[in-house]
């Protein structure tokens, strides 16, 4: 089973409580706050390139109705995805996955790459992200954890991923047949909502030897409870709540 030593505190979409999510400045901020691991979301453009973005459409972060997968990379690269968060981030743009991989290497950070496909683009997105990792993941940082809510995207990604990559299935609520589903896919870790996790499921997953990591934890008492249940890492928008730079 591929296992990666993920830090207990993972900056969610970068330090997204302090800077616009899924941008270079959010990742730099996470490092500045003492985080050594980040999570971010990867989406595919119409022309098959991979960029960092969470929502299917650009409405929330760029004020446009279009879906990311209906635009080419060139249409996306100049969009301001910083102002919505705070005008002081005006002009911040979406990084390509490749730029982010270089940034991770510069900062010596580990990362969870979440595959975030637009509806109907699950297989293509999974494949595109995996091929980028196989070709460009830096050798001077730990191999990535690749996760997705979409089992289809993970299935498409897996044949293209280097063997040292860890694959995690993301669930809101962990299903009763989690183990069968994990084994059918060949995934070796579980990522789940912190708020829908039950202690029995957490302990069962831990006893079976699978890493369990939870999103999105921005309060210390919740983190303490989860770590007490054997959760290995939390994804947080505020890594500074848990780390000292
Ligand atoms: O990967 C953990 C977490 O990011 C999953 O949910 O919606 O924030 O991407 P979301
Ligand atoms: Mg995510």
């Amino acid at each position: 089973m591929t296992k990666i030593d993920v830090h207990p505190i993972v900056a969610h979409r970068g330090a997204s409580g302090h800077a616009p999510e899924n941008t270079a400045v959010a990742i730099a901020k996470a490092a500045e706050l003492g985080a050594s691991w980040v999570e971010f979301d990867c989406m595919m453009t119409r022309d098959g390139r991979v960029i960092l973005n969470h929502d299917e459409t650009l409405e929330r972060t760029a004020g446009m109705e279009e879906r990311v997968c209906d635009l080419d990379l060139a249409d996306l690269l100049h969009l301001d995805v910083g102002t919505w968060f705070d005008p002081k981030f005006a002009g911040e743009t979406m990084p390509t996955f490749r730029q982010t991989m270089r940034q991770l290497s510069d900062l010596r950070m580990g990362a969870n790459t979440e595959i975030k496909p637009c509806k109907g683009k699950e297989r293509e997105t999974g494949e595109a992200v995996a091929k980028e990792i196989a070709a460009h993941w830096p050798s001077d940082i730990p191999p990535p954890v690749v996760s997705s809510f979409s089992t289809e995207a993970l299935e498409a990604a897996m044949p293209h991923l280097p063997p040292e990559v860890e694959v995690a299935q993301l669930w809101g609520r962990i299903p009763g047949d989690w183990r069968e589903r994990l084994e059918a896919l060949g995934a070796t870790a579980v990522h789940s909502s912190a708020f829908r996790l039950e202690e029995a499921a957490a302990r069962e997953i831990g006893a079976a030897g699978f890493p369990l990591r939870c999103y999105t934890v921005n309060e210390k008492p919740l983190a303490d409870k989860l770590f007490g249940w054997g959760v290995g890492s939390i994804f947080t928008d505020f890594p500074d709540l848990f780390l000292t730079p």
Side-chain angles (χ1 to χ4, degrees):
M1 189 187 287
T2 306
K3 277 195 189 165
I4 295 178
D5 196 13
V6 177
H7 193 278
I9 306 302
V10 181
H12 183 238
R13 311 182 195 172
S16 60
H18 297 281
E21 64 187 50
N22 287 319
T23 63
V25 71
I27 293 171
K29 186 70 186 172
E32 183 193 318
L33 295 172
S36 55
W37 273 75
V38 284
E39 182 264 4
F40 49 80
D41 306 293
C42 275
M43 204 167 259
M44 197 188 66
T45 66
R46 181 170 57 191
D47 50 346
R49 300 291 301 276
V50 179
I51 56 152
L52 269 61
N53 190 62
H54 178 275
D55 296 2
E56 185 155 304
T57 76
L58 294 156
E59 204 165 331
R60 184 171 59 91
T61 53
M64 288 168 60
E65 283 175 13
E66 284 90 342
R67 296 194 306 167
V68 169
C69 61
D70 293 333
L71 294 171
D72 289 339
L73 184 68
D75 306 322
L76 293 159
L77 284 182
H78 67 278
L79 297 178
D80 173 353
V81 293
T83 299
W84 75 274
F85 184 81
D86 187 316
K88 75 179 181 202
F89 293 107
E92 200 59 35
T93 54
M94 275 177 242
T96 65
F97 185 27
R98 238 175 263 185
Q99 286 170 331
T100 297
M101 288 189 268
R102 283 197 291 272
Q103 185 185 18
L104 294 171
S105 171
D106 290 344
L107 296 170
R108 292 287 189 275
M109 291 182 104
N112 171 199
T113 299
E114 183 188 338
I115 306 172
K116 200 64 115 176
C118 281
K119 268 181 215 70
K121 303 282 179 189
E122 288 80 6
R123 296 202 73 78
E124 297 98 308
T125 308
E127 222 178 287
V129 171
K131 285 180 175 171
E132 284 286 299
I133 289 172
H136 301 288
W137 194 264
S139 57
D140 54 2
I141 58 172
V145 176
V146 173
S147 63
S148 189
F149 288 104
S150 167
T151 304
E152 202 183 342
L154 291 174
E155 268 168 6
M158 286 173 76
H160 304 280
L161 286 171
E164 64 273 18
V165 171
E166 186 190 88
V167 174
Q169 175 69 59
L170 255 165
W171 280 299
R173 179 183 288 279
I174 296 170
D177 58 351
W178 64 268
R179 189 166 189 157
E180 288 80 355
R181 293 213 213 177
L182 217 59
E183 286 175 351
L185 173 64
T188 54
V190 176
H191 293 182
S192 83
S193 164
F195 301 98
R196 292 194 263 166
L197 180 67
E198 285 165 17
E199 182 175 0
R203 295 206 182 275
E204 198 185 322
I205 291 167
F210 294 96
L212 172 61
R213 309 181 184 106
C214 292
Y215 66 91
T216 305
V217 181
N218 292 332
E219 286 158 22
K220 249 183 159 301
L222 176 58
D224 291 342
K225 181 182 84 172
L226 295 168
F227 289 136
W229 290 355
V231 168
S233 302
I234 55 162
F235 301 99
T236 179
D237 303 326
F238 298 95
D240 45 319
L241 281 178
F242 307 95
L243 297 165
T244 32

